[in-house]
Amino acid sequence: SSQGERSVRSARRRGEASPWNSEIMAPPPGHCLLLLCALGTFALSRFTRGQKNSTLIFTRENTIRNCSCSADIRDCDYSLANLMCSCKTVLPFAVEQTSYNGHLTIWFTDTSALGRLLNFTLVQDLKLSLCSTSTLPTEYLAICGLKRLRINTEAKHPFPEQSLLVHNSADGDAKEKPVLLHKGWQTCMYISFLDTALFNRDSSLRSYSVENVASIANNFPDFSYFKTFPMPSNKSYVVTFIY
């Protein structure tokens, strides 16, 4: 009735509750918490799905730890890596030939396992961190398809991380399809030779490239890799030396 409506309006002006609006209430706090939790879980799952994990490999005490990490880990912090990443132990003789399309970081104290991990392995973005003060011998790692290299020698020299763009071919991704050789080794058109003795020096990273190399074995006879694992002769290569 009109009289009832006037009573409601009068009660609202005085701040009193009325029988007509007593049921119009804010949702209970519990419902809000459930809604916020659901929204937070959804947003976190979308964010996590959008992230790409990086691979961290470190060698310690004759074992190799292969880790998948969702965040960057401070170099050579083994405890933090075991805590924050999903890691598994791999025996050195059980290392299999594989490829890495994303970021690969390797912490090492000597060169004993680097050859098994990197020789003729497809790695596009590589970071090598020396975690000891050891003097390394002159050994050459043959890395397939390397586009960017970063090195950290803070354990030996107090210098910041160095970075080197090896190649950035527009059609590199299309051509970087490794061909399997016998025993699972790979070959591709971009090959980088990295001198491990560079970790002994406090100078900047340097490199030079040779294009249209028809026969790596004939042009670089000092590299014994190609005597054991011959490269296909119907290809031309871009060879980069990093030192």
Side-chain angles (χ1 to χ4, degrees), residues 53-73:
N53 284 10
S54 60
T55 301
L56 167 65
I57 299 176
F58 58 88
T59 58
R60 202 177 188 190
E61 298 175 355
N62 297 322
T63 60
I64 297 173
R65 295 281 283 168
N66 190 317
C67 307
S68 177
C69 307
S70 59
D72 289 337
I73 305 297

Side-chain angles (χ1 to χ4, degrees), residues 97 119-121 142-145 176-182 184-193 213-220 223-239:
Q97 193 71 25
N119 275 336
F120 293 98
T121 297
I143 306 171
C144 179
E176 289 301 338
K177 293 181 179 179
V179 177
L180 287 179
L181 301 175
H182 64 291
W185 284 50
Q186 301 174 356
T187 182
C188 60
M189 69 170 293
Y190 291 96
I191 299 176
S192 297
F193 289 104
V213 177
S215 174
I216 296 182
N218 291 338
N219 284 274
F220 307 103
F223 293 99
S224 58
Y225 304 114
F226 309 110
K227 298 175 183 177
T228 309
F229 300 96
M231 308 293 285
S233 58
N234 59 344
K235 285 178 170 287
S236 62
Y237 304 91
V238 178
V239 178

Side-chain angles (χ1 to χ4, degrees), residues 72-173:
D72 289 337
I73 305 297
R74 184 171 56 250
D75 283 327
C76 306
D77 193 334
Y78 301 102
S79 298
L80 186 62
N82 284 315
L83 179 65
M84 300 295 294
C85 304
S86 175
C87 301
K88 61 181 180 181
T89 298
V90 181
L91 296 177
F93 59 82
V95 173
E96 297 180 354
Q97 193 71 25
T98 185
S99 60
Y100 302 90
N101 293 320
H103 303 289
L104 171 64
T105 299
I106 298 180
W107 300 344
F108 67 101
T109 56
D110 54 55
T111 61
S112 59
L114 285 181
R116 288 194 192 93
L117 293 171
L118 290 176
N119 275 336
F120 293 98
T121 297
L122 178 63
V123 186
Q124 295 183 351
D125 192 341
L126 174 66
K127 180 178 179 180
L128 295 174
S129 297
L130 178 63
C131 298
S132 74
T133 58
S134 303
T135 299
L136 303 183
T138 297
E139 295 181 6
Y140 288 94
L141 304 172
I143 306 171
C144 179
L146 185 62
K147 292 185 176 182
R148 185 174 70 138
L149 172 69
R150 291 175 292 159
I151 68 165
N152 188 337
T153 59
E154 285 188 81
K156 190 176 181 68
H157 304 294
F159 294 104
E161 176 181 305
Q162 295 190 59
S163 180
L164 177 69
L165 183 64
V166 180
H167 82 85
N168 190 23
S169 174
D171 58 351
D173 290 334

